[in-house]
Amino acid sequence: MSKIAVVYWSGTGNTEQMANAVAEGAKEAGAEVSTLTADQFSAAKIAEFDAIAFGCPAMGAETLEEDEFEPMFTGCESALSGKKLALFGSYGWGDGEWMRTWEDTCRSDGAVLACESVICCEAPDDDALAQCKKLGATLAG
């Protein structure tokens, strides 16, 4: 059984809904899942998990949330080499630039992106939630 961490930050609840769907998909695929907010996770926990799904909405000028999530993620970067990851998040405007930048950062850190990232505009619809469940199942596999 694989151990998966679903680590997220959510301001409006949209990314939290996505995180819950990711966790559900991983559990349905047989994984042991820990769902954690950004303030509950750190680099010290990375080794406890086979894979990690990070979720963060786009903020400001298409950046990660700057007060809690980005500092936590930056602190984790040195431990991501070879780690199986997946990314997800919501946005309110723009074209997903924050996710492309984040994916590039993860690749530069040596992380293995297990599947295509899931993004949605505003609240996730049924299709976005289904994609999140699939993301979780892929991480668990």
Side-chain angles (χ1 to χ4, degrees):
M1 174 184 296
S2 59
K3 289 183 71 174
I4 309 293
V6 179
V7 181
Y8 72 95
W9 185 90
S10 187
T12 62
N14 295 338
T15 302
E16 182 176 13
Q17 288 179 52
M18 297 174 81
N20 290 335
V22 170
E24 184 179 342
K27 286 177 188 173
E28 288 175 358
E32 179 182 326
V33 179
S34 296
T35 304
L36 306 160
T37 56
D39 63 339
Q40 298 172 315
F41 195 77
S42 68
K45 293 185 180 239
I46 290 175
E48 298 174 24
F49 299 96
D50 300 306
I52 303 167
F54 284 111
C56 185
M59 302 295 284
E62 297 237 22
T63 62
L64 296 173
E65 189 278 328
E66 298 171 335
D67 293 326
E68 290 181 38
F69 192 89
E70 194 274 332
M72 175 279 301
F73 185 79
T74 298
C76 291
E77 284 188 81
S78 64
L80 295 180
S81 184
K83 186 57 75 172
K84 187 174 170 182
L85 300 183
L87 307 176
F88 63 93
S90 62
Y91 62 98
W93 60 274
D95 67 356
E97 177 184 349
W98 106 102
M99 185 59 71
R100 293 189 298 276
T101 301
W102 192 11
E103 290 169 342
D104 290 345
T105 298
C106 290
R107 286 186 193 99
S108 294
D109 292 337
V112 178
L113 293 176
C115 56
E116 189 173 326
S117 301
V118 176
I119 63 173
C120 67
C121 186
E122 303 295 343
D125 60 13
D126 290 344
D127 181 56
L129 293 174
Q131 289 178 47
C132 286
K133 284 181 74 173
K134 183 178 177 184
L135 182 150
T138 300
L139 270 186

